[in-house]
Amino acid sequence: MKRLFALATLAAVTAGTPALADLAVGSKAPDFKAQAFLAGKPFTFDMAAARRNGPVVMYFFPSAYTGGCNLEAHLFSEAADEFKAQGATLIGVTAGKVERLAEFSADTKTCGGKFPVAADPGAKIAKTYDAPLKMAGIKAPVDMSARTSYVIAPDGTVLLAYDNMAADDHVTQTMGALKAWKAKQKKK
């Protein structure tokens, strides 16, 4: 109960307060492999393989089937075709309620089978991306991820790191960074 209260307090305090994620723009994004689900079907997501196909838009979210995370997943699902049209791979990653990710990936109220979500037990991937959830008054990060989005170039360079517990602007931020990068590529 204390953990739920602390999470709710954190969300209320940080909602609408953007901050930079710790993995800086221009740094190299770590490669990883993780159990993932697309439309309820399991597969192994491989970041290095995804980058070979183009840029990757990856967003960390605290937990499946929570208000803000449901909204964020739904917004990304509505934009999934546009990300694909930009040549990007879209993936969500969470440490929360990983046992429900198959359901979450297929649910029309969340991902709608339009993009995969990967399990991150213990927030190990989030920690390599400097995106674990940090809570006021707790020195060590909890084993959940913050609401942090990244756009990663095919060479692994971080193009955008956006950290904001409010769920409603991550699509706009990632799409804007992706389009700006694509425009620069056309000029080369």
Side-chain angles (χ1 to χ4, degrees):
M1 185 68 170
K2 285 182 182 179
R3 185 175 179 176
L4 286 175
F5 176 75
L7 286 173
T9 302
L10 175 70
V13 169
T14 62
T17 308
L20 293 177
D22 293 330
L23 191 58
V25 170
S27 63
K28 289 292 183 182
D31 285 331
F32 65 91
K33 291 182 181 177
Q35 176 69 52
F37 299 89
L38 176 60
K41 298 191 181 351
F43 74 100
T44 299
F45 178 81
D46 181 334
M47 175 60 89
R51 286 190 302 98
R52 285 193 288 274
N53 295 322
V56 176
V57 174
M58 177 175 63
Y59 79 97
F60 288 97
F61 60 103
S63 182
Y65 289 113
T66 58
C69 297
N70 291 354
L71 171 64
E72 185 177 30
H74 183 73
L75 293 172
F76 271 110
S77 74
E78 288 180 333
D81 291 338
E82 189 175 355
F83 282 110
K84 187 175 182 177
Q86 294 294 321
T89 297
L90 174 61
I91 178 88
V93 181
T94 189
K97 297 182 186 168
V98 295
E99 72 282 354
R100 295 193 65 195
L101 286 185
E103 176 188 358
F104 189 76
S105 74
D107 193 330
T108 57
K109 294 177 186 160
T110 57
C111 304
K114 293 186 177 185
F115 68 94
V117 287
D120 184 18
K124 292 176 184 146
I125 299 166
K127 290 170 187 168
T128 67
Y129 276 79
D130 293 329
L133 184 61
K134 297 170 184 104
M135 298 175 63
I138 299 176
K139 292 185 190 227
V142 295
D143 286 339
M144 294 176 75
S145 59
R147 190 175 316 283
T148 305
S149 296
Y150 290 97
V151 178
I152 302 162
D155 69 358
T157 302
V158 174
L159 302 171
L160 171 78
Y162 181 70
D163 184 82
N164 189 339
M165 285 304 286
D168 59 353
D169 199 33
H170 286 261
V171 170
T172 303
Q173 294 293 324
T174 54
M175 186 63 74
L178 179 60
K179 287 181 176 180
W181 178 79
K182 297 267 300 180
K184 284 182 184 177
Q185 297 306 301
K186 286 181 181 180
K187 291 180 180 180
K188 287 184 178 183

